[in-house]
Amino acid sequence: MFDYTVKTNQSVEAVVEKLKATLKDEAFGVLWDFDLSDTLKEKGEAIDGDYRILEVCNPKEAKKVITAHREGGYFLPCKLAVFTKDGATHVGMPKPTKLIELIEDESLQSIALDVETRLTRAIDNSI
């Protein structure tokens, strides 16, 4: 699977607030909290349910990636999504280990694995 996604009975808003705290515990900051569902509604393209996208970053790890490969910035900052689907709230992300494989530089795999482990833990601790 290219992603890590879990579901919960909590509201999108509750998960986003908890996620912000658990991300901080893992040394990630939230750069952007984008309410995609509101934006689409404003543009006349409303969707069913809520959809939030968090752009998150750990500056130290981001520096390592873009220093080794500038194109690694294509995957930065990391993106987490919190949305409703089939009556439940889902929270997930594309796996950093899968994305970094596209660069074809084994030296970046350990960084991606560390980031993935920490983001997965933040997600799990928010539900």
Side-chain angles (χ1 to χ4, degrees):
M1 297 290 294
F2 81 95
D3 68 310
Y4 177 77
T5 304
V6 294
K7 65 181 180 176
T8 178
N9 291 324
Q10 298 178 67
S11 69
V12 167
E13 184 64 36
V15 172
V16 167
E17 290 311 308
K18 287 180 183 177
L19 193 53
K20 288 178 179 180
T22 61
L23 285 164
K24 189 179 287 188
D25 293 341
E26 296 293 340
F28 281 83
V30 176
L31 304 175
W32 188 36
D33 177 355
F34 179 58
D35 190 328
L36 180 61
S37 49
D38 274 357
T39 299
L40 291 174
K41 184 178 178 181
E42 290 172 11
K43 305 289 183 188
E45 300 294 335
I47 60 171
D48 291 332
D50 295 324
Y51 205 110
R52 301 266 290 273
I53 299 170
L54 301 180
E55 298 268 344
V56 304
C57 184
N58 175 298
K60 185 180 286 187
E61 303 305 333
K63 179 183 177 185
K64 289 177 189 175
V65 170
I66 62 171
T67 298
H69 252 285
R70 290 287 193 205
E71 292 81 4
Y74 297 159
F75 310 125
L76 301 174
C78 296
K79 186 178 292 189
L80 306 179
V82 184
F83 55 92
T84 55
K85 177 181 170 184
D86 301 328
T89 297
H90 292 69
V91 56
M93 66 178 176
K95 291 181 178 177
T97 54
K98 294 295 182 187
L99 293 174
I100 213 74
E101 285 175 2
L102 297 170
I103 294 178
E104 299 177 354
D105 181 345
E106 277 298 313
S107 71
L108 298 177
Q109 202 52 243
S110 63
I111 298 168
L113 181 58
D114 176 57
V115 167
E116 185 173 309
T117 299
R118 291 158 66 188
L119 291 177
T120 298
R121 190 168 40 234
I123 289 170
D124 289 347
N125 289 335
S126 69
I127 61 166

